[in-house]
Amino acid sequence: MQHLPLIMSDDPSSDDDASVLVQTRPKTKRPPMYKVLLLNDDFTPMEFVVHVLERFFGLNHAQAFEIMLVVHKKGVAVVGVFSHEIAETKVGQVMDFARRHQHPLQCTMEKED
């Protein structure tokens, strides 16, 4: 490979401008995230809630059981945090699945602080 000498002109009108342009990127804001919540009711069986957590949120049995207990004892639990579209999809899937199995299980979403 042949190296050529770099020649810079002293002429200010020359296109060989030695100044460095620094380009700044605008800071992109992260999209808001949404918490998906399961709400307790007195009718949906605990086993069904565990199954929902495993099926729609990819939790293993122990994790699903633990979250089901939080829902049961505290009345509500965050089961995941997702982008708006994914949270909305998961809420819809859980609600449809619960209705198809005639359970009043409630799943909602709210913007994360």
Side-chain angles (χ1 to χ4, degrees):
M1 184 168 172
Q2 185 180 12
H3 293 284
L4 298 173
L6 180 61
I7 301 169
M8 295 187 76
S9 170
D10 289 336
D11 180 2
S13 66
S14 169
D15 287 338
D16 295 333
D17 188 5
S19 65
V20 177
L21 293 176
V22 179
Q23 191 174 24
T24 56
R25 283 191 191 151
K27 291 219 181 217
T28 53
K29 245 174 115 177
R30 292 183 68 110
M33 299 298 279
Y34 290 80
K35 298 184 280 191
V36 174
L37 309 161
L38 269 187
L39 308 176
N40 189 42
D41 64 73
D42 294 330
F43 305 101
T44 304
M46 292 179 177
E47 300 79 31
F48 184 80
V49 175
V50 170
H51 179 69
V52 162
L53 291 167
E54 291 170 343
R55 178 173 178 159
F56 297 105
F57 298 94
L59 302 176
N60 66 37
H61 188 75
Q63 293 167 322
F65 191 82
E66 198 65 37
I67 290 176
M68 176 276 297
L69 286 178
V70 172
V71 173
H72 181 68
K73 292 175 182 172
K74 297 192 175 187
V76 64
V78 175
V79 296
V81 179
F82 308 95
S83 68
H84 185 272
E85 293 77 18
I86 293 174
E88 199 171 51
T89 298
K90 290 199 179 283
V91 167
Q93 289 172 328
V94 170
M95 295 295 287
D96 290 347
F97 190 70
R99 297 304 155 262
R100 282 199 315 269
H101 290 85
Q102 283 127 25
H103 294 301
L105 182 64
Q106 292 294 304
C107 185
T108 63
M109 62 188 266
E110 66 181 41
K111 198 170 186 178
E112 190 179 40
D113 297 330

